[in-house]
Amino acid sequence: QYFQRSTDLNGGVSPESAFAETSIEIPEEVSLVLEWRAPSKILKPKVINRRVKVKMLLTPDQQGKVYSEAVLGLIESAQSSLFFQIPYIGMPSAPGLTRGYIDRLIVALTKKLKTLDDARVILRTGGSALSAPAHAAWYFKSKGVDIDNRLRAIENHHTKGMIVDGRRVLLGSHNWSKPGVSLNRDASLLFDDADVAQYYTEAFEI
């Protein structure tokens, strides 16, 4: 039934190039602040006993169109704040390389990191090649982002979540890579709820 569903959504055999990434060297002088402090507190689970507006985003679905366009809309809707925690962002390995939706998402995020009053990204330490936080820092800095105030990296996190304007929350399993936003089997939820956003904003700040 999964194969039939994929066919119904115009899926097909994916070329090997869809999964290919090229390793590049990152300049040693580009780095970002690493957070080593223990958390100031642990949040208790939040219980909400009412209906909550939520949209499910699944991939693969039209080769990433449904997920990517929903997240693009979320990013572009940000008017004052955007907080994003993700283990890594698969940055392009060359200026002229076109990779589809992931590049559009990175461009939209970069614009908000430069223009919003409060826009911040938390990455994960470690990684290699294009998944290293230093590569994301190098890319954002080359685009004019103030990486000293906009980027951080912490150890051992696997969170993939975004909070926009203290109102909308994206939370799920999608990685930000070319296959991660298009071909991999993942699920995310998009909440439109201030209480949900407040809870995850507090977690982000901790």
Side-chain angles (χ1 to χ4, degrees), residues 61-204:
D61 196 347
Q62 297 181 28
Q63 297 187 353
K65 180 178 180 180
V66 176
Y67 168 84
S68 298
E69 290 192 349
V71 179
L72 279 169
L74 175 64
I75 295 171
E76 292 167 353
S77 73
Q79 298 296 310
S80 59
S81 64
L82 186 155
F83 306 140
F84 187 30
Q85 185 167 341
I86 191 89
Y88 67 90
I89 301 175
M91 294 298 186
S93 59
L97 186 65
T98 301
R99 303 176 301 157
Y101 285 117
I102 183 61
D103 289 332
R104 292 177 59 192
L105 290 165
I106 292 171
V107 168
L109 176 63
T110 302
K111 180 178 179 181
K112 294 301 180 178
L113 287 172
K114 293 171 62 177
T115 60
L116 289 181
D117 291 338
D118 193 3
R120 288 173 276 160
V121 175
I122 298 175
L123 300 171
R124 182 176 64 198
T125 57
S128 59
L130 301 182
S131 68
H135 186 65
W138 171 83
Y139 176 90
F140 286 132
K141 186 174 183 178
S142 74
K143 301 299 181 183
V145 173
D146 178 7
I147 63 171
D148 292 334
N149 294 306
R150 301 292 191 172
L151 296 185
R152 291 289 186 272
I154 61 177
E155 287 187 303
N156 303 326
H157 85 79
H158 202 60
T159 301
K160 294 121 182 189
M162 185 181 295
I163 310 157
V164 169
D165 291 339
R167 177 73 198 185
R168 303 176 72 197
V169 174
L170 177 73
L171 191 69
S173 64
H174 286 92
N175 287 309
W176 266 34
S177 63
K178 182 178 179 179
V181 303
S182 57
L183 299 173
N184 291 353
R185 185 167 296 282
D186 281 295
S188 290
L189 299 175
L190 180 54
F191 296 90
D192 188 350
D193 190 275
D195 286 343
V196 174
Q198 185 277 328
Y199 179 80
Y200 283 109
T201 296
E202 187 174 359
F204 184 93

Side-chain angles (χ1 to χ4, degrees), residues 19-93:
F19 298 93
E21 292 285 4
T22 303
S23 298
I24 64 171
E25 296 296 324
I26 308 302
E28 291 185 2
E29 66 272 13
V30 178
S31 63
L32 67 162
V33 175
L34 304 180
E35 296 289 349
W36 299 105
R37 297 189 307 270
S40 58
K41 65 177 180 178
I42 303 297
L43 287 183
K44 295 181 179 179
K46 185 176 185 69
V47 178
I48 299 177
N49 292 313
R50 57 174 172 78
R51 298 179 74 127
V52 173
K53 186 177 180 181
V54 60
K55 180 177 183 178
M56 184 178 292
L57 303 174
L58 303 173
T59 54
D61 196 347
Q62 297 181 28
Q63 297 187 353
K65 180 178 180 180
V66 176
Y67 168 84
S68 298
E69 290 192 349
V71 179
L72 279 169
L74 175 64
I75 295 171
E76 292 167 353
S77 73
Q79 298 296 310
S80 59
S81 64
L82 186 155
F83 306 140
F84 187 30
Q85 185 167 341
I86 191 89
Y88 67 90
I89 301 175
M91 294 298 186
S93 59

